[in-house]
Amino acid sequence: MKFKQFQFLKNQALQKLRELDGTGTRVSVPQSIEETLQEDVLTLAYMGDAVYSLYIRKRVTAIGIHRVQVLHTLVTAFINAKAQAVALQVIEDDLTEEEAYIIRRGRNANVNVPKSASVQEYRWSTAFESLLGFLHVTGQDQRLQDLMNRAYSYTLEHIKV
């Protein structure tokens, strides 16, 4: 994306946020499953990344360690692309039809892969985050918690820090 296009989109977004500010308009959570299935999968992944990161951070900070470097190292071990890719493979057999659809779209999304992960790991982690974002946006909180609990437990059992 070119800088001028970026600036234009950023300004448009700020204008929309200002228009919504104070109007009492609710942010689009929860929205219908049908509506969400049509949403951009990378936007869902963006939301899912935030949801899972907060979930892991709450778990890690609950143990009472206050050293940020230690906390960061532990959190990173859970939310890196490799850990998320493996976590998705652990829960994949129990997905609904809609969830599997989101996973396929997330896995096939056009993303820039960082050097810290393989292309396959990054695609699977994007799919995992898309699933979590989908569940969050559609208000399926119990399902979201169940899948995050399973992913967390598996990662905790197999973590190498």
Side-chain angles (χ1 to χ4, degrees), residues 35-146:
E35 190 178 23
T36 307
L37 288 173
Q38 303 307 313
E39 194 167 314
D40 178 50
V41 74
L42 293 179
T43 302
L44 294 175
Y46 184 75
M47 289 295 290
D49 176 56
V51 168
Y52 194 57
S53 180
L54 181 59
Y55 171 86
I56 295 298
R57 287 169 188 251
K58 283 181 177 181
R59 290 280 188 130
V60 170
T61 56
I63 61 177
I65 293 176
H66 303 291
R67 302 295 299 204
V68 175
Q69 184 177 5
V70 173
L71 295 172
H72 176 73
T73 301
L74 289 171
V75 168
T76 302
F78 282 93
I79 63 171
N80 67 62
K82 185 173 186 162
Q84 289 181 351
V86 171
L88 176 59
Q89 292 169 348
V90 167
I91 63 174
E92 188 178 27
D93 291 338
D94 298 328
L95 300 179
T96 67
E97 188 177 313
E98 288 97 359
E99 293 167 349
Y101 175 71
I102 291 293
I103 291 296
R104 280 191 302 277
R105 287 184 55 215
R107 203 175 47 227
N108 295 327
N110 187 17
V111 293
N112 294 323
V113 180
K115 293 178 182 177
S116 60
S118 72
V119 172
Q120 184 177 11
E121 288 169 343
Y122 200 73
R123 287 184 181 277
W124 279 87
S125 69
T126 300
F128 176 73
E129 292 170 347
S130 299
L131 172 61
L132 300 184
F134 169 77
L135 294 171
H136 172 72
V137 169
T138 57
Q140 298 180 61
D141 297 332
Q142 186 58 52
R143 178 70 171 156
L144 175 64
Q145 289 301 313
D146 290 344

Side-chain angles (χ1 to χ4, degrees), residues 21-41:
D21 190 39
T23 64
T25 303
R26 188 165 185 218
V27 179
S28 61
V29 174
Q31 64 189 41
S32 74
I33 290 174
E34 295 77 22
E35 190 178 23
T36 307
L37 288 173
Q38 303 307 313
E39 194 167 314
D40 178 50
V41 74

